[in-house]
Amino acid sequence: MLTLTDPGRRALERDMAERDAWLAEALGALGETERGVLALAATVMDRLGTMDVSARHG
């Protein structure tokens, strides 16, 4: 088990906020079609993450 110190927690929160801001700005620069493609890709990736492919090869 890991425990963050207060300075470590603040650093992590700052880093996460910076990443969230970058992603929001990057997504805002995309067109509607590009955002739609990303949404579709996210759906496919979610499906892949829940697939039981071992049953197909056994």
Side-chain angles (χ1 to χ4, degrees), residues 16 29 52 58:
M16 289 171 54
D52 182 8

Side-chain angles (χ1 to χ4, degrees), residues 5-56:
T5 62
D6 285 338
R9 185 175 293 105
R10 286 191 297 272
L12 177 61
E13 289 170 353
R14 186 172 49 252
D15 181 70
M16 289 171 54
E18 289 171 0
R19 289 170 187 255
D20 287 348
W22 175 88
L23 183 58
E25 185 175 342
L27 289 173
L30 297 179
E32 183 179 340
T33 300
E34 293 168 312
R35 286 191 304 271
V37 168
L38 282 178
L40 179 58
T43 300
V44 172
M45 294 300 291
D46 188 51
R47 258 189 79 208
L48 286 173
T50 59
M51 261 186 202
D52 182 8
V53 294
S54 63
R56 294 180 184 206

